[in-house]
Amino acid sequence: MKKQGLLLACIVALFTAACSKKEAVIDTNPPKDTTKVSNVVTVTGDIAANTTWKADKIYLLKGFVYVTNGATLTIEPGTIIKGEKSSKAALTITRGAKIMAVGTADKPIVFTSQFDAGARANGDWGGIILLGKAPVNQGDNVGIEGGLDAKGDPAKYIQYGGTDVNDNSGTLKYVRIEYAGIPFSPDNEINGLTFGGVGKGTTIDYVEVYRSGDDAFEWFGGTVQCKHLIAMGSLDDDFDTDFGFAGKIQFGLSQRFKTIADISGSNSFESDNDGSGSDKTPQTSAVFTNMTLLGPITKDGETNVNANYQHAAQIRRNSAISIFNSIFSGYVEGIYIDDTKETTPNSTLANYTAGRLVFKNNIILGSNKKSNEVKGENKASFETKLRADNVFDALKYADLVINAPFKFSSDFANAGTPDFTVKAGSIAATGALFTDAKLTDAFFDKVDYKGAFGSTDWTAGWANFDPQTMPYTTPGAVKK
């Protein structure tokens, strides 16, 4: 996103929404939901005591639903949860509360649109928000963006941050989040999955965000560690880091479609220390490795690419994010070390030259449409090293290294089943390095391949690249 994340007062939001760069659109004649009423449990307001949602029911979220008072929401494998569009339904796990959404590869937990197959779209509901007590560089009591209702008690409902790096907000494992992400007011949106000050005691593994109406994943501070993330068909950014996020991420996939992008400018990675590029600490210093980021361009001469597409990675505003062993392909612009808005001039460049920001051992393909696969106000100061530390090839695309990267959902053209595993013998099949000090942590699996996949497809069974065709009318029926 392109904001500082400060929560606007509701009355201000109402008066300013008319001039938003991304306005919510509420359909006055919405699609139908033919799920049998007898199967549906409606959920509103607060969940203030330990609660279990069972797979033999379908749950419908209405409005802002909060897990509060240190309660734990447990969700059984195979459970379907839908969000109501008209009320901008969203599920927030407040500080001290937990969600235990532990699915399996055979029975993933699905959060999705309330509408029938064939009628779903991005922004059909809000999304999931996790709020924790881990450090954030904006203070210990920061209001999460997204237009949530504080109910007169911001500390209880919408604030995040603290001093506990090991804070535990629960577990999301084998979970799909589909058709979420909504703009509430200018620069104030709910993402598919939002993290606010979430600590590394939290487990995030095997989570797919499909067609978010804003970012797929956004981290505001915190230290949470994540593996096996999927961002499919996002509108804005895929992986957005801000406010001092210092977590670790391994194995992430994003796939974009060429006609879908956001007016604010869509990137795969977007990273800020904060919205003003301040020197506040903790500094954004997340470490990503083994990511596969597939942009909208699949070949030379690609036509009808949305003009709002931007960079494979835009690292700006004094961020010190690091990215290793990853594949970027098919973006309009490549790697941007951006010094345009900073409290201390050229601080993002300084992070790179000092080794706080590392971009190394990556493959960047077909991301030179504007002749700037390497971009920056101080490009002359870093281009030589950036090119030496990575592989750039403007004339090749993801099919050089990935088996079938250009098959898409039936929501888009060229529908089919993708295969994101690495091509045997390709430049991505070997050569991953974990010698940098940022990668020695035991959290990281020391694999040989670059990108998110070797020969094993870890999306098999639980992920769905075409949920538009899923009925979601029968409890527990989360797979075809």
Side-chain angles (χ1 to χ4, degrees), residues 193-208:
L193 179 55
T194 303
F195 302 87
V198 177
K200 64 180 181 180
T202 307
T203 299
I204 307 294
D205 200 4
Y206 300 101
V207 177
E208 176 184 7

Side-chain angles (χ1 to χ4, degrees), residues 244-320:
F245 176 49
K248 298 176 177 65
I249 314 293
Q250 187 176 26
F251 308 125
L253 166 69
S254 69
Q255 184 194 53
R256 307 301 289 253
F257 188 67
K258 64 182 181 180
T259 62
I260 306 298
D262 186 58
I263 192 172
S264 64
S266 296
N267 307 292
S268 191
F269 277 98
E270 181 178 278
S271 185
D272 308 348
N273 194 43
D274 62 14
S276 64
S278 80
D279 298 325
K280 291 179 179 179
T281 58
Q283 187 176 32
T284 296
S285 58
V287 178
F288 288 77
T289 186
N290 296 101
M291 308 292 289
T292 295
L293 302 315
L294 305 178
I297 303 172
T298 66
K299 61 186 177 182
D300 286 343
E302 187 86 67
T303 58
N304 299 318
V305 176
N306 190 299
N308 294 312
Y309 270 112
Q310 294 184 331
H311 312 93
Q314 183 175 17
I315 304 170
R316 64 183 189 176
R317 298 178 182 173
N318 193 29
S319 170

Side-chain angles (χ1 to χ4, degrees), residues 15 28 109 186 234 353 376 391 456:
F15 280 105
T28 57
I109 294 165
S234 307
T353 57
V391 173
T456 300

Side-chain angles (χ1 to χ4, degrees), residues 26 29 35 101 160 168 200 210 223 238 259 266 268 273 322 327 331 369 382 404:
I26 303 301
N29 186 26
T35 309
Y160 63 96
N168 184 358
K200 64 180 181 180
Y210 179 87
T223 54
D238 296 313
T259 62
S266 296
S268 191
N273 194 43
S322 294
I327 300 168
Y331 270 85
K369 189 173 182 179
F382 66 81

